Amino acid sequence: MELRTMRYFLAVAREENMTRAAEFLHVTQPTLSKSLKSLEEELGKKLFVRHSFHIELTEEGLLLRKRAEDLVSMADKIQTEFLSLDDVLGGEIYLGLAESYQIRYLAAEIKTLKNTFPDLRYHITSGDTEQVTEKLDKGVIDFAVLAEEPNAEKYHYLTFPKADVWGVVMPKDCPLAGKQSISADDLAGLPLFCSEQGWSKDIAKWCGNEIDTLHLEGSFKLSYNGSIFVKEGLGYLLTFEHLIDTSPDSGLTFRPLAPRLETKLYLIWKKYQVFTPIAEKMLEKLRERFHG
């Protein structure tokens, strides 16, 4: 199974059309069709259903697309890493990030590095713990930032300087906005929005047995999306402070939970990880900042 064939397959999956994919790849359509037919024969599975004007992936094709994306990303990363070994002015860094205002510490160090190494290029993906650790374990990214304590048997880590504070984002004219802090009793029976990870771990731990009195209306991986639903009057968002605009003109306000609930943030990387020079420099700077 060749890497080139994986690139061909991904192009067809993206374009959903053999002609457009061939044009994108700068190959002839017969060449592309032959490669994909050979791939199906090699795997012993049908990957596409061909319709009159488009191509649709089968269930096996959908599975292969996910695996092919990881393989191609890994191959591209290996290539850029080796190119970066002799790059004294920059290089590539790949990061998978949780949502937190503390990402500003990371951004500040990247800015400092770019002043010294102008050819530094960084690639950011966002997601929950499961999503970013999966990419880290596969070697697609160099570092991940988690909003939960990492597995010390698998990863080295740095703890960010501060903790994120949990609270409720709500319309500023709603009755709860008049309170200085929000308890589980205040939230009982209300339509609530939260990330699945936050709900099952942080919020469940915070309210204990009272979790049964709370109603999760919907879950969001990005707090901003949840805030849009709050603005429409559909519910209340449980999230970290500073993630949502609650300025006077926003129509929203933030109130912390009581008792106070905090979550620490961690920068993690695999044990025995081999970094490019620029990734090593970033880690060195972050160690100085976090331990300084």
Side-chain angles (χ1 to χ4, degrees):
M1 189 180 302
E2 296 183 356
L3 184 62
R4 180 181 60 184
T5 305
M6 292 295 97
R7 295 187 190 276
Y8 285 1
F9 168 77
L10 288 175
V12 174
R14 182 182 62 250
E15 299 295 334
E16 297 183 342
N17 181 279
M18 196 72 70
T19 301
R20 289 199 302 268
E23 290 174 352
F24 172 81
L25 294 166
H26 304 292
V27 299
T28 65
Q29 187 170 329
T31 297
L32 183 57
S33 297
K34 182 179 179 181
S35 294
L36 295 181
K37 183 178 180 181
S38 296
L39 179 61
E40 288 182 320
E41 291 174 351
E42 181 179 356
L43 295 175
K45 297 292 183 181
K46 190 174 180 62
L47 303 174
F48 300 98
V49 176
R50 291 163 176 79
H51 300 286
S52 298
F53 299 103
H54 74 284
I55 293 175
E56 181 182 0
L57 290 178
T58 63
E59 289 187 7
E60 292 81 4
L62 290 170
L63 175 61
L64 180 61
R65 181 173 66 182
K66 179 174 174 55
R67 298 292 182 259
E69 286 172 346
D70 290 338
L71 285 171
V72 170
S73 295
M74 172 61 75
D76 291 342
K77 185 173 183 293
I78 290 172
Q79 184 178 34
T80 56
E81 281 179 342
F82 274 83
L83 291 173
S84 298
L85 291 176
D86 297 322
D87 188 352
V88 296
L89 295 178
E92 309 275 343
I93 299 177
Y94 296 80
L95 304 117
L97 308 179
E99 272 196 302
S100 167
Y101 86 105
Q102 292 194 81
I103 297 301
R104 62 189 176 131
Y105 294 112
L106 203 56
E109 290 306 323
I110 289 175
K111 181 180 179 181
T112 300
L113 278 175
K114 279 192 71 68
N115 290 336
T116 307
F117 305 99
D119 291 337
L120 164 63
R121 294 172 296 278
Y122 52 94
H123 309 270
I124 307 294
T125 61
S126 298
D128 58 22
T129 295
E130 182 180 358
Q131 290 172 317
V132 297
T133 54
E134 180 184 8
K135 291 182 181 295
L136 184 66
D137 291 343
K138 291 179 177 179
V140 177
I141 59 177
D142 301 306
F143 302 98
V145 174
L146 308 184
E148 66 174 80
E149 189 169 345
N151 182 348
E153 294 182 359
K154 292 180 63 177
Y155 309 112
H156 293 299
Y157 63 90
L158 296 175
T159 306
F160 276 68
K162 297 183 179 180
D164 282 282
V165 177
W166 279 91
V168 184
V169 173
M170 66 191 89
K172 65 179 181 181
D173 57 357
C174 76
L176 280 185
K179 300 177 69 71
Q180 292 302 307
S181 59
I182 307 298
S183 68
D185 287 341
D186 295 325
L187 299 176
L190 297 178
L192 304 176
F193 303 119
C194 188
S195 68
E196 291 182 3
Q197 178 179 321
W199 182 264
S200 63
K201 296 184 178 180
D202 300 82
I203 299 302
K205 181 180 179 181
W206 170 71
C207 63
N209 294 332
E210 292 184 83
I211 188 68
D212 293 334
T213 69
L214 304 186
H215 169 60
L216 182 64
E217 178 77 5
S219 60
F220 294 87
K221 291 190 182 297
L222 298 176
S223 292
Y224 174 78
N225 289 343
S227 72
I228 299 300
F229 279 62
V230 173
K231 282 189 175 183
E232 291 297 326
L234 291 169
Y236 301 78
L237 176 64
L238 295 164
T239 188
F240 292 158
E241 189 176 11
H242 305 302
L243 288 185
I244 303 301
D245 176 18
T246 55
S247 61
D249 295 332
S250 69
L252 301 175
T253 191
F254 177 91
R255 293 291 182 268
L257 297 178
R260 188 178 178 89
L261 176 62
E262 296 182 341
T263 296
K264 291 182 178 180
L265 207 68
Y266 303 88
L267 176 80
I268 73 169
W269 62 97
K270 289 192 300 183
K271 289 190 173 181
Y272 314 111
Q273 174 87 8
V274 178
F275 290 121
T276 59
I278 195 66
E280 284 278 13
K281 291 182 183 297
M282 188 188 79
L283 181 57
E284 178 185 342
K285 292 296 183 183
L286 287 170
R287 281 195 173 108
E288 292 174 1
R289 174 180 277 264
F290 289 4
H291 292 157

